[in-house]
Amino acid sequence: MRRTAGSGGAGAILARMTSTPRDGTSSEGAGGAPPPAAPAGLHVPAEPDFLASLRADLADWRHWLARAIVLSYALAAGLAVVLFTWLSNRAIEGYAHLSAWAPLALFVWIPCWTAGLVWLTRRYAPGAAGSGIPQVMAALSPRVPAGQRSLFVSLRLSVAKILLTSGGLLGGLAIGREGPSVQIAAGVMQHAQRWLPRRSPLNQDGLLVAGGAAGIAATFNAPLAGVMFAIEELTRKIEQRSSGLIVAGIVLAGLVAVSFFGNASYFGRLHVDRLTWAQLLPGLATAVGSGLLGGVFSRLLQRSLLGGTDRFSRWRARWPVRFAFGCGLAIALLAWVSHGATAGSGYDYTRNLVEGHFDLPVLYVVLRFVATWLSVWSGVPGGIFAPSLAIGAGIGSDIALLTGTHEGSVVLIAIGMTAFLSAVTQAPVTAFIIVMEMVDGHAMVLSLMGAALIASLVSRWISVPIYHRLALAQLARLPDEGRRESPGRPRP
């Protein structure tokens, strides 16, 4: 076909498309007027040439080398989380055998072990203390020099985190491994920086974001939760040129966990046949109650960890090891009173609730609430994700018993888990996705989303976001020039 004047070019094509009426008649047939020109200044990109684009992409060997290195380290990060998971499970089993063999020995074992872990952490790996998420957020602050990021995230700290957190579970402390997995995977991923070529599409911030999100993805077998965690907690924006590589690394780390542990969700499957109007008020009460209690829990943790002028804060600052011994003694008492229900992350009890077994000890929520608070306050490395899910499941179960909602108890348990985790972390989308992955079908998608948003809103009336405030405290470990900026929402 011969090309006529005025018929070629992207602008003319756009003008012809925009001038065609909806009835299919041409503009010339309708009024005889020529088609309007493209708006001035409008840039219409040309269609890409497939072969030329392929040749240009394959010719840049640096990008392919960078992709191979990043994906290799994502594989290594997934394997590190798998190793951490295996070691943590063995530690929980070891504590169970010890408590069954000599229950009263726990009054010696738990406080001494807690004090020893705090001494080791403060002496050899102070950057491994606590959850691990605030450390990654602090490392992402643009005020932290590249040479000082190892204070918060490094391969050495990842190894220390694996050993110390597993040790805490061996001591029966009410901690989780999910937050530590974020720091562990980020420490592995950031080590890739030394091997990346100069023109790499992924910088050190991107590696930390990819590593932290990969830790969540591998822990919960939920890559989507990892992606949303990266956006919601670590950075608000991921650069377009590196977003595909970051997501690929997150998914690869999640697939590594799936290959070892299967495609089952973290706490099993929630079977929800249908929702009824009779569950509306109990569900709303669960969401609001979890939001209130989660906000109080978050504020209590922040006040305890950041210290104050009270006697206990002064004692903790002056004699941290002795304080940890006292916390361990109280934790042992709670474990003895609850017949072991407050020990560990609460995984077994939460899974039993999810599967429909409602044999919780009396005051389970209160006892686990206090045990988790004391475990975190003691200063040992450990997270709060799994304990928060356990407390939320207990809240849902209690409200189901109080309201007589026996048929819909699983619904309230799911709402409680979502709402309490959302309230503590103030990351509603991440909490919603983590629990949504456990539900068969899509019957509860809107309910869980609403519960997460309600609880997060209620929590914000009580407490500021916990991880951002603790990240500020992490920056205090820097020299004076590194303390000038809040890492609350670090720039990408």
Side-chain angles (χ1 to χ4, degrees):
M1 180 180 293
R2 190 174 60 181
R3 184 175 176 183
T4 59
S7 64
I13 295 173
L14 178 65
R16 185 177 304 167
M17 293 172 61
T18 56
S19 65
T20 303
R22 296 189 178 212
D23 58 1
T25 60
S26 67
S27 60
E28 294 170 348
L42 177 64
H43 173 69
V44 181
E47 295 294 334
D49 186 313
F50 174 75
L51 293 178
S53 299
L54 182 62
R55 282 195 297 268
D57 201 13
L58 292 176
D60 194 348
W61 62 269
R62 293 182 182 86
H63 280 203
W64 287 99
L65 177 62
R67 291 165 184 162
I69 292 173
V70 169
L71 293 180
S72 298
Y73 270 88
L75 178 66
L79 289 173
V81 174
V82 167
L83 173 63
F84 178 44
T85 302
W86 179 86
L87 194 60
S88 298
N89 291 338
R90 303 292 81 76
I92 293 173
E93 292 174 1
Y95 172 80
H97 290 310
L98 177 62
S99 60
W101 172 65
L104 294 180
L106 299 180
F107 285 95
V108 177
W109 170 252
I110 294 179
C112 292
W113 192 250
T114 304
L117 288 174
V118 170
W119 182 83
L120 288 172
T121 302
R122 295 177 63 87
R123 176 68 174 83
Y124 297 104
S131 165
I133 295 176
Q135 286 91 324
V136 177
M137 295 173 66
L140 283 166
S141 172
R143 293 292 184 180
V144 177
Q148 294 181 353
R149 286 184 170 179
S150 59
L151 289 173
F152 310 110
V153 177
S154 68
L155 200 58
R156 176 178 173 274
L157 285 177
S158 295
V159 175
K161 196 80 169 188
I162 291 174
L163 298 176
L164 292 170
T165 306
S166 300
L169 292 171
L170 181 61
L173 302 181
I175 55 176
R177 56 178 175 82
E178 297 73 27
S181 296
V182 172
Q183 188 180 15
I184 290 167
V188 174
M189 284 294 294
Q190 68 86 32
H191 194 263
Q193 181 68 32
R194 65 182 60 192
W195 304 106
L196 290 177
R198 184 170 300 177
R199 292 172 55 189
S200 167
L202 199 62
N203 57 18
Q204 192 167 11
D205 285 356
L207 290 173
L208 289 173
V209 170
I216 292 293
T219 298
F220 288 104
N221 284 357
L224 181 58
V227 174
M228 291 312 304
F229 174 79
I231 297 173
E232 197 171 29
E233 284 294 319
L234 300 182
T235 179
R236 283 183 173 178
K237 180 181 177 182
I238 298 177
E239 294 184 6
Q240 184 178 2
R241 70 190 186 104
S242 61
S243 60
L245 189 55
I246 290 176
V247 172
I250 296 170
V251 172
L252 182 59
L255 290 177
V256 171
V258 170
S259 65
F260 278 87
F261 303 119
N263 198 24
S265 66
Y266 187 56
F267 287 108
R269 306 298 299 179
L270 283 160
H271 302 284
V272 179
D273 297 328
R274 61 188 179 88
L275 298 178
T276 64
W277 286 107
Q279 298 163 349
L280 177 60
L281 291 180
L284 185 61
T286 303
V288 174
S290 297
L292 289 170
L293 195 58
V296 171
F297 186 61
S298 175
R299 184 167 179 171
L300 180 62
L301 289 179
Q302 293 177 50
R303 178 67 182 270
S304 301
L305 293 174
L306 298 178
T309 58
D310 59 280
R311 179 183 303 175
F312 291 105
S313 295
R314 294 196 303 268
W315 185 25
R316 183 177 186 263
R318 187 173 182 181
W319 296 297
V321 177
R322 297 183 191 179
F323 182 83
F325 183 91
C327 289
L329 195 61
I331 293 168
L333 178 61
L334 291 171
W336 182 72
V337 169
S338 66
H339 302 285
T342 60
S345 62
Y347 174 84
D348 291 335
Y349 284 90
T350 307
R351 190 177 184 90
N352 288 337
L353 286 174
V354 168
E355 293 176 351
H357 307 293
F358 308 110
D359 51 344
L360 287 179
V362 179
L363 299 178
Y364 171 77
V365 171
V366 175
L367 295 175
R368 175 154 286 280
F369 184 102
V370 176
T372 304
W373 165 53
L374 291 174
S375 298
V376 174
W377 197 13
S378 69
V380 300
I384 58 174
F385 266 63
S388 296
L389 289 168
I391 295 171
I395 294 172
S397 176
D398 288 347
I399 292 180
L401 291 174
L402 290 174
T403 59
T405 315
H406 301 295
E407 294 183 358
S409 57
V410 174
V411 173
L412 299 185
I413 288 170
I415 290 175
M417 293 171 69
T418 305
F420 192 83
L421 180 60
S422 174
V424 173
T425 63
Q426 294 189 13
V429 180
T430 302
F432 152 69
I433 292 175
I434 287 173
V435 181
M436 185 189 69
E437 294 282 348
M438 307 177 195
V439 181
D440 283 333
H442 304 283
M444 290 195 64
V445 170
L446 295 179
S447 302
L448 294 179
M449 189 181 299
L453 293 175
I454 290 172
S456 179
L457 175 63
V458 172
S459 176
R460 289 177 188 273
W461 298 340
I462 302 172
S463 171
V464 299
I466 183 171
Y467 291 130
H468 303 296
R469 193 172 183 186
L470 294 181
L472 272 175
Q474 288 290 328
L475 288 182
R477 299 172 53 221
L478 286 170
D480 290 340
E481 62 267 22
R483 301 180 186 176
R484 293 174 295 179
E485 194 210 21
S486 164
R489 292 285 189 183
R491 295 197 301 266

